[in-house]
Amino acid sequence: MEINSNVDMIWNKFLSLIKKRVSSLAYDTWFKDTRLYELSSEAIIIVTTTTHKKHLAESYNDIITEILNEITGTNFNLKFLLENEIIKNEVEEVKEEKIEEPQGVPFNSAKKANLNPDYKFENFIVGESNRFAQATALAVAENPGKMYNPLFIYGNSGLGKTHLMHAIGNYIVENSNKKVIYVSSETFISDFLELNKRFNNGNNYDKVDNFKDKYRNLDVLIIDDIQFLGNAQKSQEEFFHTFNTLFDNKKQIIISSDSSPDDLKNLEDRLRTRFNWGLKVNIFPPDNELRKKILMNKINNTIFANSIDDDVIDYIANTCQSDVRNLEGSLTRVCAYATIFGVDKINLDLAMEALKGSMPKSINNGINSQSGLYDISRIQRAVADYYHVTVEDLKGKKRVANIAFPRHIAIYLCRNLTDASFPRIGMEFGARDHSTVMSSCERIDKELKINKQLEKVIEEIKKKLE
């Protein structure tokens, strides 16, 4: 066949075949959003992130080459590029190292590794705020000790750090014979303090041996909330040596914290320096779309799966913006309230009654306390309706005038009608940075000084909100 005649047809065939060769999780994460740009002496494949480039090159190079050969009868050198690299015509070299996973019956188990078997990649809800963290976590799980070492995951409490760490451990345990252990920093400190206790014969050799076997004779160490190690100097010293032993032996280290390594001032400099050796990944608070996905996933496991109004989901998503735990807890409270009072269908009035007084004011981030009308998603819908575009257009990357200007209006209204910060607004508009949000607000401010018609437009949109 003429291999360049229809790259889309070839790639569709490739996707149908690779889908049968890898897990559904791997397919959705690494292949679903790829496309074939060119087939000549090289196969140029467009991917969405730099993580995809590295992981596909190092972990799936051979199988991609094999399937393309099966389809076309020709072997290709593979190039993985981002969309903007295609535009700039910057082609990067990729490695073709074959990764071989150990075979056989898994040595470990979730129970032995202290892992929660319910925390899997399959039930981790992915959105723009955590997509990078999920992709890098899966990359580490597929190639522990070879991709990013150490992997340092940080972010506020309740955003999914622990879920991801358990998911990595569970994936490795289920797909290899590697020895994994998950512990909190408190457990590490407690185990270390046990070394100070001696037996009746005056020695503690057995305890030292057990400690070293637990923390150094393994393939993957997952340690949660490393910030609590800050006030334990001797435990820091021991963790420093444990880290060095594992790292030097190319064993995977995964660490979580509520702050980035640079902000952990209570930890020794030599530890913070080592945490920066690998990859640091920040998990941000969920945006509105992800909050609704999380709520819908949770409600589907209740008796109210088909009897909850959409505006209830919108209301909870917009009033619980701080973290996932609070979001899920609010939905649980609403469902419990409906169950206790024997209500078959959950509407907005019932949800507001159930949540009355149950959330701190800080969680209301941008909600008008009297009417509940001025929240980001409702402003987006009002502006989209007024200008006859979609909310997806406002969140998207298109810069054509009939979309870009309404986007500026929506951002301006979100900043002026809510208490949301610039970064929060940027996250709700397709993960834009805070400088872009500020620029949009400044542009509309200037326009309002010379354009009386724009004043009327904004007033009309406000009336639609009311």
PDB file of all heavy atoms in Angstrom, residues 136-163:
ATOM      1  N   THR A 136       2.313  11.231  34.870  1.00  0.00           N
ATOM      2  CA  THR A 136       3.657  10.925  35.364  1.00  0.00           C
ATOM      3  C   THR A 136       3.620   9.787  36.386  1.00  0.00           C
ATOM      4  O   THR A 136       4.532   8.957  36.420  1.00  0.00           O
ATOM      5  CB  THR A 136       4.293  12.173  36.003  1.00  0.00           C
ATOM      6  OG1 THR A 136       3.400  12.726  36.982  1.00  0.00           O
ATOM      7  CG2 THR A 136       4.603  13.223  34.968  1.00  0.00           C
ATOM      8  N   ALA A 137       2.566   9.739  37.191  1.00  0.00           N
ATOM      9  CA  ALA A 137       2.438   8.644  38.156  1.00  0.00           C
ATOM     10  C   ALA A 137       2.330   7.300  37.437  1.00  0.00           C
ATOM     11  O   ALA A 137       2.962   6.309  37.835  1.00  0.00           O
ATOM     12  CB  ALA A 137       1.225   8.866  39.055  1.00  0.00           C
ATOM     13  N   LEU A 138       1.540   7.263  36.360  1.00  0.00           N
ATOM     14  CA  LEU A 138       1.407   6.020  35.594  1.00  0.00           C
ATOM     15  C   LEU A 138       2.727   5.664  34.910  1.00  0.00           C
ATOM     16  O   LEU A 138       3.099   4.489  34.835  1.00  0.00           O
ATOM     17  CB  LEU A 138       0.293   6.157  34.558  1.00  0.00           C
ATOM     18  CG  LEU A 138       0.038   4.925  33.689  1.00  0.00           C
ATOM     19  CD1 LEU A 138      -0.299   3.708  34.544  1.00  0.00           C
ATOM     20  CD2 LEU A 138      -1.083   5.189  32.688  1.00  0.00           C
ATOM     21  N   ALA A 139       3.441   6.670  34.425  1.00  0.00           N
ATOM     22  CA  ALA A 139       4.742   6.418  33.800  1.00  0.00           C
ATOM     23  C   ALA A 139       5.705   5.778  34.791  1.00  0.00           C
ATOM     24  O   ALA A 139       6.433   4.833  34.456  1.00  0.00           O
ATOM     25  CB  ALA A 139       5.326   7.728  33.266  1.00  0.00           C
ATOM     26  N   VAL A 140       5.716   6.263  36.023  1.00  0.00           N
ATOM     27  CA  VAL A 140       6.567   5.682  37.065  1.00  0.00           C
ATOM     28  C   VAL A 140       6.111   4.262  37.399  1.00  0.00           C
ATOM     29  O   VAL A 140       6.931   3.354  37.578  1.00  0.00           O
ATOM     30  CB  VAL A 140       6.549   6.567  38.322  1.00  0.00           C
ATOM     31  CG1 VAL A 140       7.156   5.838  39.522  1.00  0.00           C
ATOM     32  CG2 VAL A 140       7.308   7.863  38.073  1.00  0.00           C
ATOM     33  N   ALA A 141       4.810   4.070  37.461  1.00  0.00           N
ATOM     34  CA  ALA A 141       4.287   2.733  37.782  1.00  0.00           C
ATOM     35  C   ALA A 141       4.674   1.717  36.718  1.00  0.00           C
ATOM     36  O   ALA A 141       4.950   0.554  37.031  1.00  0.00           O
ATOM     37  CB  ALA A 141       2.765   2.793  37.927  1.00  0.00           C
ATOM     38  N   GLU A 142       4.708   2.140  35.473  1.00  0.00           N
ATOM     39  CA  GLU A 142       5.046   1.215  34.383  1.00  0.00           C
ATOM     40  C   GLU A 142       6.541   0.932  34.310  1.00  0.00           C
ATOM     41  O   GLU A 142       6.952  -0.132  33.842  1.00  0.00           O
ATOM     42  CB  GLU A 142       4.548   1.780  33.054  1.00  0.00           C
ATOM     43  CG  GLU A 142       3.034   1.810  32.939  1.00  0.00           C
ATOM     44  CD  GLU A 142       2.547   2.293  31.599  1.00  0.00           C
ATOM     45  OE1 GLU A 142       3.221   3.130  30.966  1.00  0.00           O
ATOM     46  OE2 GLU A 142       1.464   1.835  31.178  1.00  0.00           O
ATOM     47  N   ASN A 143       7.369   1.877  34.752  1.00  0.00           N
ATOM     48  CA  ASN A 143       8.823   1.705  34.703  1.00  0.00           C
ATOM     49  C   ASN A 143       9.475   2.203  35.990  1.00  0.00           C
ATOM     50  O   ASN A 143      10.230   3.179  35.962  1.00  0.00           O
ATOM     51  CB  ASN A 143       9.416   2.459  33.511  1.00  0.00           C
ATOM     52  CG  ASN A 143       9.095   1.780  32.196  1.00  0.00           C
ATOM     53  OD1 ASN A 143       9.383   0.610  32.009  1.00  0.00           O
ATOM     54  ND2 ASN A 143       8.492   2.523  31.294  1.00  0.00           N
ATOM     55  N   PRO A 144       9.213   1.579  37.133  1.00  0.00           N
ATOM     56  CA  PRO A 144       9.776   2.071  38.394  1.00  0.00           C
ATOM     57  C   PRO A 144      11.293   2.047  38.389  1.00  0.00           C
ATOM     58  O   PRO A 144      11.916   1.090  37.937  1.00  0.00           O
ATOM     59  CB  PRO A 144       9.192   1.102  39.440  1.00  0.00           C
ATOM     60  CG  PRO A 144       8.775  -0.113  38.662  1.00  0.00           C
ATOM     61  CD  PRO A 144       8.381   0.375  37.314  1.00  0.00           C
ATOM     62  N   GLY A 145      11.880   3.159  38.869  1.00  0.00           N
ATOM     63  CA  GLY A 145      13.327   3.269  38.941  1.00  0.00           C
ATOM     64  C   GLY A 145      13.980   3.715  37.658  1.00  0.00           C
ATOM     65  O   GLY A 145      15.189   3.958  37.626  1.00  0.00           O
ATOM     66  N   LYS A 146      13.188   3.876  36.593  1.00  0.00           N
ATOM     67  CA  LYS A 146      13.768   4.201  35.287  1.00  0.00           C
ATOM     68  C   LYS A 146      13.258   5.498  34.687  1.00  0.00           C
ATOM     69  O   LYS A 146      13.914   6.085  33.827  1.00  0.00           O
ATOM     70  CB  LYS A 146      13.481   3.058  34.298  1.00  0.00           C
ATOM     71  CG  LYS A 146      14.102   1.741  34.711  1.00  0.00           C
ATOM     72  CD  LYS A 146      13.689   0.606  33.794  1.00  0.00           C
ATOM     73  CE  LYS A 146      14.274  -0.715  34.272  1.00  0.00           C
ATOM     74  NZ  LYS A 146      13.828  -1.856  33.445  1.00  0.00           N
ATOM     75  N   MET A 147      12.084   5.948  35.130  1.00  0.00           N
ATOM     76  CA  MET A 147      11.507   7.138  34.516  1.00  0.00           C
ATOM     77  C   MET A 147      11.861   8.397  35.289  1.00  0.00           C
ATOM     78  O   MET A 147      12.697   9.180  34.878  1.00  0.00           O
ATOM     79  CB  MET A 147       9.980   6.994  34.419  1.00  0.00           C
ATOM     80  CG  MET A 147       9.524   6.026  33.346  1.00  0.00           C
ATOM     81  SD  MET A 147       9.981   6.562  31.695  1.00  0.00           S
ATOM     82  CE  MET A 147       9.002   8.052  31.533  1.00  0.00           C
ATOM     83  N   TYR A 148      11.230   8.624  36.429  1.00  0.00           N
ATOM     84  CA  TYR A 148      11.451   9.819  37.230  1.00  0.00           C
ATOM     85  C   TYR A 148      11.748   9.385  38.664  1.00  0.00           C
ATOM     86  O   TYR A 148      10.877   8.867  39.343  1.00  0.00           O
ATOM     87  CB  TYR A 148      10.215  10.728  37.199  1.00  0.00           C
ATOM     88  CG  TYR A 148       9.722  11.028  35.810  1.00  0.00           C
ATOM     89  CD1 TYR A 148       8.539  10.479  35.331  1.00  0.00           C
ATOM     90  CD2 TYR A 148      10.453  11.861  34.966  1.00  0.00           C
ATOM     91  CE1 TYR A 148       8.087  10.751  34.054  1.00  0.00           C
ATOM     92  CE2 TYR A 148      10.001  12.142  33.683  1.00  0.00           C
ATOM     93  CZ  TYR A 148       8.827  11.579  33.226  1.00  0.00           C
ATOM     94  OH  TYR A 148       8.383  11.854  31.966  1.00  0.00           O
ATOM     95  N   ASN A 149      12.965   9.611  39.092  1.00  0.00           N
ATOM     96  CA  ASN A 149      13.351   9.132  40.417  1.00  0.00           C
ATOM     97  C   ASN A 149      14.236  10.162  41.117  1.00  0.00           C
ATOM     98  O   ASN A 149      15.300  10.508  40.610  1.00  0.00           O
ATOM     99  CB  ASN A 149      14.116   7.810  40.293  1.00  0.00           C
ATOM    100  CG  ASN A 149      14.182   7.048  41.589  1.00  0.00           C
ATOM    101  OD1 ASN A 149      13.365   7.242  42.485  1.00  0.00           O
ATOM    102  ND2 ASN A 149      15.161   6.172  41.700  1.00  0.00           N
ATOM    103  N   PRO A 150      13.784  10.682  42.282  1.00  0.00           N
ATOM    104  CA  PRO A 150      12.488  10.388  42.926  1.00  0.00           C
ATOM    105  C   PRO A 150      11.338  11.128  42.255  1.00  0.00           C
ATOM    106  O   PRO A 150      11.558  12.137  41.584  1.00  0.00           O
ATOM    107  CB  PRO A 150      12.698  10.915  44.344  1.00  0.00           C
ATOM    108  CG  PRO A 150      13.649  12.075  44.155  1.00  0.00           C
ATOM    109  CD  PRO A 150      14.586  11.643  43.070  1.00  0.00           C
ATOM    110  N   LEU A 151      10.128  10.634  42.471  1.00  0.00           N
ATOM    111  CA  LEU A 151       8.917  11.359  42.080  1.00  0.00           C
ATOM    112  C   LEU A 151       8.383  12.051  43.321  1.00  0.00           C
ATOM    113  O   LEU A 151       8.085  11.397  44.318  1.00  0.00           O
ATOM    114  CB  LEU A 151       7.868  10.405  41.512  1.00  0.00           C
ATOM    115  CG  LEU A 151       6.506  11.051  41.161  1.00  0.00           C
ATOM    116  CD1 LEU A 151       6.661  12.070  40.044  1.00  0.00           C
ATOM    117  CD2 LEU A 151       5.479   9.989  40.788  1.00  0.00           C
ATOM    118  N   PHE A 152       8.275  13.373  43.258  1.00  0.00           N
ATOM    119  CA  PHE A 152       7.827  14.155  44.405  1.00  0.00           C
ATOM    120  C   PHE A 152       6.492  14.805  44.050  1.00  0.00           C
ATOM    121  O   PHE A 152       6.421  15.674  43.176  1.00  0.00           O
ATOM    122  CB  PHE A 152       8.867  15.238  44.747  1.00  0.00           C
ATOM    123  CG  PHE A 152       8.664  15.891  46.079  1.00  0.00           C
ATOM    124  CD1 PHE A 152       9.411  15.512  47.176  1.00  0.00           C
ATOM    125  CD2 PHE A 152       7.715  16.897  46.247  1.00  0.00           C
ATOM    126  CE1 PHE A 152       9.227  16.105  48.415  1.00  0.00           C
ATOM    127  CE2 PHE A 152       7.516  17.500  47.473  1.00  0.00           C
ATOM    128  CZ  PHE A 152       8.280  17.106  48.566  1.00  0.00           C
ATOM    129  N   ILE A 153       5.406  14.365  44.709  1.00  0.00           N
ATOM    130  CA  ILE A 153       4.056  14.869  44.448  1.00  0.00           C
ATOM    131  C   ILE A 153       3.660  15.793  45.591  1.00  0.00           C
ATOM    132  O   ILE A 153       3.729  15.406  46.756  1.00  0.00           O
ATOM    133  CB  ILE A 153       3.041  13.711  44.342  1.00  0.00           C
ATOM    134  CG1 ILE A 153       3.489  12.693  43.289  1.00  0.00           C
ATOM    135  CG2 ILE A 153       1.657  14.252  43.994  1.00  0.00           C
ATOM    136  CD1 ILE A 153       2.621  11.451  43.241  1.00  0.00           C
ATOM    137  N   TYR A 154       3.256  17.025  45.261  1.00  0.00           N
ATOM    138  CA  TYR A 154       2.889  17.945  46.332  1.00  0.00           C
ATOM    139  C   TYR A 154       1.625  18.732  45.987  1.00  0.00           C
ATOM    140  O   TYR A 154       1.255  18.882  44.823  1.00  0.00           O
ATOM    141  CB  TYR A 154       4.044  18.895  46.662  1.00  0.00           C
ATOM    142  CG  TYR A 154       4.403  19.896  45.584  1.00  0.00           C
ATOM    143  CD1 TYR A 154       3.944  21.207  45.645  1.00  0.00           C
ATOM    144  CD2 TYR A 154       5.218  19.534  44.520  1.00  0.00           C
ATOM    145  CE1 TYR A 154       4.281  22.130  44.672  1.00  0.00           C
ATOM    146  CE2 TYR A 154       5.568  20.453  43.543  1.00  0.00           C
ATOM    147  CZ  TYR A 154       5.103  21.746  43.616  1.00  0.00           C
ATOM    148  OH  TYR A 154       5.428  22.660  42.651  1.00  0.00           O
ATOM    149  N   GLY A 155       0.967  19.201  47.019  1.00  0.00           N
ATOM    150  CA  GLY A 155      -0.272  19.957  46.864  1.00  0.00           C
ATOM    151  C   GLY A 155      -1.022  19.955  48.182  1.00  0.00           C
ATOM    152  O   GLY A 155      -0.672  19.230  49.122  1.00  0.00           O
ATOM    153  N   ASN A 156      -2.066  20.757  48.245  1.00  0.00           N
ATOM    154  CA  ASN A 156      -2.851  20.852  49.472  1.00  0.00           C
ATOM    155  C   ASN A 156      -3.523  19.526  49.818  1.00  0.00           C
ATOM    156  O   ASN A 156      -3.692  18.651  48.963  1.00  0.00           O
ATOM    157  CB  ASN A 156      -3.915  21.944  49.339  1.00  0.00           C
ATOM    158  CG  ASN A 156      -3.300  23.326  49.269  1.00  0.00           C
ATOM    159  OD1 ASN A 156      -2.195  23.546  49.745  1.00  0.00           O
ATOM    160  ND2 ASN A 156      -4.011  24.264  48.661  1.00  0.00           N
ATOM    161  N   SER A 157      -3.942  19.400  51.052  1.00  0.00           N
ATOM    162  CA  SER A 157      -4.619  18.181  51.511  1.00  0.00           C
ATOM    163  C   SER A 157      -5.935  17.983  50.764  1.00  0.00           C
ATOM    164  O   SER A 157      -6.651  18.938  50.475  1.00  0.00           O
ATOM    165  CB  SER A 157      -4.877  18.278  53.011  1.00  0.00           C
ATOM    166  OG  SER A 157      -5.585  17.159  53.482  1.00  0.00           O
ATOM    167  N   GLY A 158      -6.232  16.717  50.457  1.00  0.00           N
ATOM    168  CA  GLY A 158      -7.525  16.388  49.864  1.00  0.00           C
ATOM    169  C   GLY A 158      -7.607  16.501  48.372  1.00  0.00           C
ATOM    170  O   GLY A 158      -8.702  16.495  47.805  1.00  0.00           O
ATOM    171  N   LEU A 159      -6.476  16.562  47.671  1.00  0.00           N
ATOM    172  CA  LEU A 159      -6.494  16.728  46.212  1.00  0.00           C
ATOM    173  C   LEU A 159      -6.171  15.446  45.456  1.00  0.00           C
ATOM    174  O   LEU A 159      -6.222  15.434  44.234  1.00  0.00           O
ATOM    175  CB  LEU A 159      -5.517  17.835  45.792  1.00  0.00           C
ATOM    176  CG  LEU A 159      -5.804  19.222  46.358  1.00  0.00           C
ATOM    177  CD1 LEU A 159      -4.793  20.225  45.827  1.00  0.00           C
ATOM    178  CD2 LEU A 159      -7.224  19.669  46.027  1.00  0.00           C
ATOM    179  N   GLY A 160      -5.824  14.368  46.175  1.00  0.00           N
ATOM    180  CA  GLY A 160      -5.604  13.092  45.496  1.00  0.00           C
ATOM    181  C   GLY A 160      -4.175  12.581  45.513  1.00  0.00           C
ATOM    182  O   GLY A 160      -3.855  11.608  44.821  1.00  0.00           O
ATOM    183  N   LYS A 161      -3.285  13.201  46.297  1.00  0.00           N
ATOM    184  CA  LYS A 161      -1.893  12.743  46.339  1.00  0.00           C
ATOM    185  C   LYS A 161      -1.807  11.301  46.825  1.00  0.00           C
ATOM    186  O   LYS A 161      -1.137  10.463  46.212  1.00  0.00           O
ATOM    187  CB  LYS A 161      -1.052  13.642  47.256  1.00  0.00           C
ATOM    188  CG  LYS A 161      -1.033  15.106  46.877  1.00  0.00           C
ATOM    189  CD  LYS A 161      -0.035  15.879  47.726  1.00  0.00           C
ATOM    190  CE  LYS A 161      -0.337  15.828  49.212  1.00  0.00           C
ATOM    191  NZ  LYS A 161      -1.612  16.498  49.557  1.00  0.00           N
ATOM    192  N   THR A 162      -2.484  11.022  47.939  1.00  0.00           N
ATOM    193  CA  THR A 162      -2.427   9.679  48.517  1.00  0.00           C
ATOM    194  C   THR A 162      -3.034   8.649  47.568  1.00  0.00           C
ATOM    195  O   THR A 162      -2.510   7.536  47.429  1.00  0.00           O
ATOM    196  CB  THR A 162      -3.148   9.658  49.874  1.00  0.00           C
ATOM    197  OG1 THR A 162      -2.486  10.570  50.769  1.00  0.00           O
ATOM    198  CG2 THR A 162      -3.134   8.266  50.481  1.00  0.00           C
ATOM    199  N   HIS A 163      -4.129   8.996  46.921  1.00  0.00           N
ATOM    200  CA  HIS A 163      -4.745   8.085  45.949  1.00  0.00           C
ATOM    201  C   HIS A 163      -3.735   7.713  44.868  1.00  0.00           C
ATOM    202  O   HIS A 163      -3.571   6.533  44.515  1.00  0.00           O
ATOM    203  CB  HIS A 163      -5.978   8.750  45.332  1.00  0.00           C
ATOM    204  CG  HIS A 163      -6.787   7.842  44.462  1.00  0.00           C
ATOM    205  ND1 HIS A 163      -8.161   7.874  44.416  1.00  0.00           N
ATOM    206  CD2 HIS A 163      -6.438   6.859  43.575  1.00  0.00           C
ATOM    207  CE1 HIS A 163      -8.607   6.975  43.566  1.00  0.00           C
ATOM    208  NE2 HIS A 163      -7.571   6.349  43.038  1.00  0.00           N
TER     209      HIS A 163
END
